[in-house]
Structures are given as structure tokens and as C-alpha cells.
Amino acid sequence: MSTAGQVLGRTAPSAPPSMPLAIPASIIGNIVIFVACVVLALGVFGIDVTAQPDNMAVQQLIRLGAPVINFVGLVMLVPAVLAVYSSVQLLRRDLNGRYIGLTLQFLGLVFSIIALIHLWGFFLSYELIVDGIIANAWMLLGFPIAYGLYWLAGRFPEKGGIRPRLESIAVLIGMGTTIVVLFFANILTFANNIITAYTTNPVTWVATILLFVFGALFWHLLRTGNYFGETTDQVATWQGWLMLAPNIVGFTLFFAGPLLLSFYLSFTDSTVGRVPEFKGLENYAQIFALEVQPLTDPDAALQSAMTFGYTPLGAASLGETRYVLGAKDAVFWQSLLNTISYCFLLVPLGVIPALGLALILNSKLPGVKVYRAIYFLPSVAAVVGTALIWRWLYDPTIGFINYAITGLVQTINSLGLQIPDPEIAWLTGPGTVLISMVLLSAWQVVGFNTVLFLAGLQGIPIELNEAAGIDGAGRWRLLRYITIPMLAPTTFFVIITTVITGLQVFNEPYALFPSIPIPENAITSVYYLYNQGFFRFNFGYASSIAWVVFAIIFLVTLAQFRAQRGNAYEG
């Protein structure tokens, strides 16, 4: 540096860092993605809806109609647009371009893996592998034996000779068990399928090459953080998104995609064997079509006052005139009424006993941990299995519930009273069908709600109860003025989840009533849309019902949040 530069305090400008090779390689990869996506999109846009192609995927697109075909084509263009943007930003040394490039390469890597697994025939061989393992399940005992030996080795000192020997034996047993299990699980058949895929289908080689290319691009672009001036917080951010990536991809493919498709189908007349036609709001108009007509003749049937196509829901008198309420889809409104009634019964039966059990289990009683597990078991039990048990309990002749009621009545009558045996028809009586479903559901949710309340109780500072006890507060006052208010956030969450569970009820009517049609009072909204979609194959109408039910659940939840906001307990 010159003397003048030293006097002025200037330093020579540092040379800009050289561009890593991963940048131009990623740009080339983006160009390939752009070309491939544009070609695929043009191919989708050019599908002839009147043709009968051999490709199964194209057949499915044609069956869904032109709007779905155009939507899929537009989705194909999204990666192309992102690839162009990423390339421009990479040249400008912008960090967003790097993140988008990493995202595209990661998705390419994931889809290459999925395609390769499909080409290998893994999904077809998986059943054979599982059958082979189940048929030789006794061999799996080697794993717990290996784990037990490894755990036992950890109990000995490190410098002793016994510990490394036991660890080596445990590792050998684990490896040997793995080899034997894989051999009997038809792993050789799967390996032969892989070899066959490479020898008969050139696409397998293409998928393999793409797998390594996308993997290499992703790995090397990931190591260019210093070139883009990436900070520690930004590193933590993309690492978090990377951990969430499997869930995001699964959500997009298996939830968001079908959700958008059902929203489109709700405006069509989609059914089996026919390309859906757009009908606008006709399905929703069918659902919400209501009318009120006066009944001129008091002795006439309610149906006589209805317009053609409407079914009476009920009647009410206003002054001297009797009015009849009717609907085009009376079953939907009946199912909605059943669902709301179900919720009103489920919330107290699923929340109040749970709070009582939590208060008991929060005390220092012997065997409390065992009781916690017992009460939680119904929440994790399979609904179909428990429904079979409850169907037996509800049996009017041999069921234990009616047997217990009969024994209680006989005991009371032995004291001189004359109470008739009710002989309740739990699964057939119009007044008991709904309550039988509620009892089963409440039995299942009480355990889960108890665990939530127990967590809330253990979060209450013990100092509050001790201070109130010193001031002379009894148990009832502690419960009323400290425990219940402090449990407000937990109670709110429990009620929200219980209401949503009630509004989405499907398993109970489906499992308790195997014969079709089920009793009218047992039809819930979700069961009705299931019946419309999978028994009558009215996919468009079933989709519209699903979105109406979603809107109801959303509005009810929003109303609960609004109501809670004004009096919610804050930390």
C-alpha cells in the first residue's frame, strides 16, 4: 500500500469471493427443471378429453374434467417459474434464489426417490415382506435379546473385559437377526425385482441418475452459505423448514390436493362413469333449500302443504295459523339436528366426569399411575373393536346393561315397590339410539380429557393453594376460586376439542349399526355425506355437504374463541 494510502487510512479493496461451482450447476439444473415442467404442462394442456388413452394417469385426469386438467397444467408451470426466478437471483447473489433452488432440488430428490421405489416394485413387494415377517415372528425375539445384552453390558465398567464382549455379542445377535428376518421376509424376491427393473425398464436408470444429480446439487448448494452471507439465524430457519419438509410434502400431496379437488367437485354433478359437469351453486342450493307454508286444514298431513320436491321437517303454530317448515334435503337437516344434539350431550358427559377424575388422580393416592393408564386406555382403543363390545352390552336380551337394570329393578321391587322393567332397546328405540352413541363416545374421550385436565392441574402453582389454605379457604372454595379459574385455558381447549369431535362423529354410527339403512336418529352429518359419496356415488353432492360441515365446524370454533377472548385467563 502506498504512503498516501497509509496517511488517508485507506485499504486496498478485497477481491470478491469466487463463485462456487454449485451456482452454475444449480442454474443448469433449474434450466432442466424449466424445460421439463414446460413440456409436461404443454402435454397436460394438450390432452384430448374425447380420447381413450392407455395411460392410467391421463385417464383419471380426463374423468375429472377440463378444469382439473387446466389446473394440473398450471401447477406444472409453478416449478418452471420458480426455476427462472431462482436462476436470476443466484446470479445476483441473492439468498432467496438459493433457498428456492434448494427447495426445487429437494423436491426433485424426493420425487426421484418415490419414482424409484415405485419402479423397483416396492409397494407390490411390501405385502410379501410383511407376510414373511408375520409368518416367522418368533425370529424377532433376537432384537430384544440383543438389546437386553447391550443394556446389561452398560452396567459393567468400561475398562473391564466383560463389557466389550457382551456388546460384541449383542451386535452380532442383532445383525444376525436382521439378516435372518430379511431372508425369510422374501427380501431376495424384492432384490430380484430391483434387478429386473434395471434390465427391462430404462426409466429406472433415468430415475436413479436424477436421484444422484438432485442429491449432489442439493448437497453442494447447501454448502454455499458463506458465499451468500448467510447468518446463524437464517441457518436455523432453513434447518427448521427442512425438518418440517416431510410433513409439508405429505400434507400437500395427501391433504391439500384432495381438499382442493373436493372443493371443485362440490360445484359439479360428479358421479361414477361420467365426466363431471360444472353446476355452479346447485348442490348448495339443494342443501339450503327451505320453505315455510301455512297448513290450511288442521287435520291434513304436513306433506300436503309442501311444494313438490320438499319434505316437511316440522310444524309450529303462530297465532291461529299453523306453519310447516320443509326442505328439499330433509335428511341433511335431520342429520345436522342429530349432530348438534349429539354435541350438546357429549360435552357435559365428556368434560365434567373428566374434570372429576383429574381432581381425584391429582391427589396422592396409592396406585394413581395405574389408574391414569386405565382411564386413558379407551382413548387409544380401536373404535370398531370397542363398538363390537358395546353392541353386546346394548343387546336388549343378553346385554349386561339391561341385565344390570333388571337386577336393580328387582332389588327395588323386593322392598315393596312395583317398578316395571324398562327393557331399553338401546340400538333400535327412537329415543335411545342417539344416547347410546353418546355414551360410547363419552367413554372414549373422558380418558383423553382427564389427561389434559391433569396436566392443567399440575401446572397450577402449589403456593396459591397453600396461601388460600392459610387464609382459611376450604376445599370447595379452593376449587371454586382457584382451581376452576386457573384451569380456564385447559377447559377451553378441552371443550373445543370435544365439540369438534362431536361435530365430526362418524365412527360410532358406522360401527354400532352395521345394517343399512341405520336408524334415522343415528344419521350424523359426516355419516350422511359418506352415504351420499360411497353408497349413492354422488361425489359432487357429498363434497358440497363436506364443505358445509367444515363451515359449521369453523364457525362454531370461531364463536367459541370469540366468547373465550373476553374472559380468558391470562398466564
Side-chain angles (χ1 to χ4, degrees), residues 87-167:
S87 300
V88 173
Q89 296 302 100
L90 284 174
L91 292 175
R92 297 177 59 185
R93 201 174 169 184
D94 189 282
L95 198 57
N96 291 327
R98 173 174 175 264
Y99 289 149
I100 294 176
L102 286 172
T103 302
L104 293 174
Q105 293 159 10
F106 177 79
L107 291 177
L109 178 65
V110 170
F111 288 120
S112 298
I113 293 174
I114 295 174
L116 198 57
I117 290 175
H118 171 70
L119 293 169
W120 284 349
F122 175 78
F123 300 110
L124 298 177
S125 303
Y126 181 75
E127 185 176 356
L128 292 175
I129 295 174
V130 173
D131 290 341
I133 294 176
I134 293 177
N136 303 276
W138 60 271
M139 293 184 300
L140 298 176
L141 292 174
F143 292 117
I145 293 174
Y147 176 80
L149 288 176
Y150 201 86
W151 175 86
L152 182 63
R155 309 278 76 81
F156 290 94
E158 295 183 3
K159 297 182 179 180
I162 298 179
R163 179 168 181 171
R165 293 179 182 177
L166 286 178
E167 289 178 347

Side-chain angles (χ1 to χ4, degrees), residues 327-351:
K328 279 190 175 181
D329 190 353
V331 180
F332 168 77
W333 292 99
Q334 178 64 42
S335 68
L336 184 60
L337 177 62
N338 293 340
T339 304
I340 294 174
S341 303
Y342 183 92
C343 282
F344 275 110
L345 294 172
L346 178 63
V347 169
L349 291 177
V351 174

Side-chain angles (χ1 to χ4, degrees), residues 227-246:
Y227 175 77
F228 288 92
E230 189 178 41
T231 64
T232 305
D233 292 339
Q234 290 170 333
V235 172
T237 300
W238 70 252
Q239 287 177 346
W241 282 107
L242 185 63
M243 295 297 104
L244 291 174

